PDB file of all heavy atoms in Angstrom:
ATOM      1  N   SER A 376      58.607 143.934 -23.734  1.00  0.00           N
ATOM      2  CA  SER A 376      59.538 142.922 -24.179  1.00  0.00           C
ATOM      3  C   SER A 376      59.945 142.052 -22.958  1.00  0.00           C
ATOM      4  O   SER A 376      60.363 142.595 -21.980  1.00  0.00           O
ATOM      5  CB  SER A 376      60.767 143.531 -24.730  1.00  0.00           C
ATOM      6  OG  SER A 376      60.451 144.257 -26.005  1.00  0.00           O
ATOM      7  N   PRO A 377      59.981 140.669 -23.142  1.00  0.00           N
ATOM      8  CA  PRO A 377      60.394 139.845 -22.137  1.00  0.00           C
ATOM      9  C   PRO A 377      61.876 140.063 -21.612  1.00  0.00           C
ATOM     10  O   PRO A 377      62.816 140.043 -22.452  1.00  0.00           O
ATOM     11  CB  PRO A 377      60.228 138.466 -22.628  1.00  0.00           C
ATOM     12  CG  PRO A 377      59.269 138.540 -23.723  1.00  0.00           C
ATOM     13  CD  PRO A 377      59.629 139.975 -24.368  1.00  0.00           C
ATOM     14  N   CYS A 378      62.129 140.307 -20.325  1.00  0.00           N
ATOM     15  CA  CYS A 378      63.446 140.528 -19.827  1.00  0.00           C
ATOM     16  C   CYS A 378      63.455 140.087 -18.353  1.00  0.00           C
ATOM     17  O   CYS A 378      62.597 140.361 -17.568  1.00  0.00           O
ATOM     18  CB  CYS A 378      63.674 142.119 -19.912  1.00  0.00           C
ATOM     19  SG  CYS A 378      65.186 142.521 -19.120  1.00  0.00           S
ATOM     20  N   ASP A 379      64.576 139.436 -18.067  1.00  0.00           N
ATOM     21  CA  ASP A 379      64.756 138.887 -16.677  1.00  0.00           C
ATOM     22  C   ASP A 379      65.672 139.775 -15.874  1.00  0.00           C
ATOM     23  O   ASP A 379      65.537 139.963 -14.619  1.00  0.00           O
ATOM     24  CB  ASP A 379      65.347 137.438 -16.712  1.00  0.00           C
ATOM     25  CG  ASP A 379      64.406 136.501 -17.288  1.00  0.00           C
ATOM     26  OD1 ASP A 379      63.119 136.488 -16.800  1.00  0.00           O
ATOM     27  OD2 ASP A 379      64.738 135.806 -18.349  1.00  0.00           O
ATOM     28  N   LEU A 397      57.819 148.792 -12.050  1.00  0.00           N
ATOM     29  CA  LEU A 397      58.129 147.728 -12.927  1.00  0.00           C
ATOM     30  C   LEU A 397      59.389 146.943 -12.589  1.00  0.00           C
ATOM     31  O   LEU A 397      59.974 146.333 -13.449  1.00  0.00           O
ATOM     32  CB  LEU A 397      58.343 148.308 -14.291  1.00  0.00           C
ATOM     33  CG  LEU A 397      57.146 149.040 -14.992  1.00  0.00           C
ATOM     34  CD1 LEU A 397      57.520 149.718 -16.326  1.00  0.00           C
ATOM     35  CD2 LEU A 397      55.925 148.125 -15.118  1.00  0.00           C
ATOM     36  N   TYR A 399      60.842 143.876  -9.892  1.00  0.00           N
ATOM     37  CA  TYR A 399      60.343 142.759  -9.062  1.00  0.00           C
ATOM     38  C   TYR A 399      60.916 142.912  -7.625  1.00  0.00           C
ATOM     39  O   TYR A 399      62.115 143.026  -7.498  1.00  0.00           O
ATOM     40  CB  TYR A 399      60.771 141.433  -9.691  1.00  0.00           C
ATOM     41  CG  TYR A 399      60.451 140.180  -8.927  1.00  0.00           C
ATOM     42  CD1 TYR A 399      59.208 139.664  -8.979  1.00  0.00           C
ATOM     43  CD2 TYR A 399      61.402 139.626  -8.087  1.00  0.00           C
ATOM     44  CE1 TYR A 399      58.892 138.539  -8.323  1.00  0.00           C
ATOM     45  CE2 TYR A 399      61.126 138.492  -7.301  1.00  0.00           C
ATOM     46  CZ  TYR A 399      59.842 137.956  -7.458  1.00  0.00           C
ATOM     47  OH  TYR A 399      59.534 136.790  -6.679  1.00  0.00           O
ATOM     48  N   VAL A 545      65.845 143.751 -11.734  1.00  0.00           N
ATOM     49  CA  VAL A 545      65.007 142.699 -12.085  1.00  0.00           C
ATOM     50  C   VAL A 545      63.609 143.148 -12.478  1.00  0.00           C
ATOM     51  O   VAL A 545      62.900 143.484 -11.506  1.00  0.00           O
ATOM     52  CB  VAL A 545      64.936 141.500 -11.134  1.00  0.00           C
ATOM     53  CG1 VAL A 545      64.083 140.276 -11.577  1.00  0.00           C
ATOM     54  CG2 VAL A 545      66.352 140.957 -10.695  1.00  0.00           C
ATOM     55  N   PRO A 546      63.241 143.135 -13.764  1.00  0.00           N
ATOM     56  CA  PRO A 546      61.917 143.719 -14.057  1.00  0.00           C
ATOM     57  C   PRO A 546      60.831 142.824 -13.478  1.00  0.00           C
ATOM     58  O   PRO A 546      60.960 141.583 -13.303  1.00  0.00           O
ATOM     59  CB  PRO A 546      61.889 143.600 -15.563  1.00  0.00           C
ATOM     60  CG  PRO A 546      63.398 143.701 -15.971  1.00  0.00           C
ATOM     61  CD  PRO A 546      64.098 142.909 -14.883  1.00  0.00           C
ATOM     62  N   SER A 547      59.758 143.461 -13.269  1.00  0.00           N
ATOM     63  CA  SER A 547      58.532 142.681 -12.613  1.00  0.00           C
ATOM     64  C   SER A 547      58.015 141.555 -13.431  1.00  0.00           C
ATOM     65  O   SER A 547      57.345 140.664 -12.930  1.00  0.00           O
ATOM     66  CB  SER A 547      57.554 143.738 -12.250  1.00  0.00           C
ATOM     67  OG  SER A 547      57.009 144.377 -13.492  1.00  0.00           O
ATOM     68  N   GLU A 548      58.180 141.722 -14.829  1.00  0.00           N
ATOM     69  CA  GLU A 548      57.607 140.640 -15.691  1.00  0.00           C
ATOM     70  C   GLU A 548      58.490 139.489 -15.802  1.00  0.00           C
ATOM     71  O   GLU A 548      58.300 138.631 -16.703  1.00  0.00           O
ATOM     72  CB  GLU A 548      57.258 141.302 -17.064  1.00  0.00           C
ATOM     73  CG  GLU A 548      56.194 142.322 -16.986  1.00  0.00           C
ATOM     74  CD  GLU A 548      54.893 141.834 -16.462  1.00  0.00           C
ATOM     75  OE1 GLU A 548      54.467 140.736 -16.870  1.00  0.00           O
ATOM     76  OE2 GLU A 548      54.252 142.514 -15.625  1.00  0.00           O
ATOM     77  N   THR A 549      59.664 139.400 -15.152  1.00  0.00           N
ATOM     78  CA  THR A 549      60.521 138.213 -15.239  1.00  0.00           C
ATOM     79  C   THR A 549      59.812 136.858 -15.003  1.00  0.00           C
ATOM     80  O   THR A 549      58.826 136.816 -14.256  1.00  0.00           O
ATOM     81  CB  THR A 549      61.712 138.360 -14.224  1.00  0.00           C
ATOM     82  OG1 THR A 549      62.530 137.125 -14.368  1.00  0.00           O
ATOM     83  CG2 THR A 549      61.231 138.414 -12.822  1.00  0.00           C
ATOM     84  N   THR A 550      60.207 135.906 -15.761  1.00  0.00           N
ATOM     85  CA  THR A 550      59.667 134.519 -15.600  1.00  0.00           C
ATOM     86  C   THR A 550      60.716 133.663 -14.805  1.00  0.00           C
ATOM     87  O   THR A 550      60.357 132.508 -14.548  1.00  0.00           O
ATOM     88  CB  THR A 550      59.371 133.919 -16.890  1.00  0.00           C
ATOM     89  OG1 THR A 550      60.605 133.783 -17.730  1.00  0.00           O
ATOM     90  CG2 THR A 550      58.314 134.685 -17.763  1.00  0.00           C
TER      91      THR A 550
END
Side-chain angles (χ1 to χ4, degrees):
S376 296
C378 173
D379 296 306
L397 298 176
Y399 178 82
V545 177
S547 57
E548 296 302 315
T549 177
T550 59

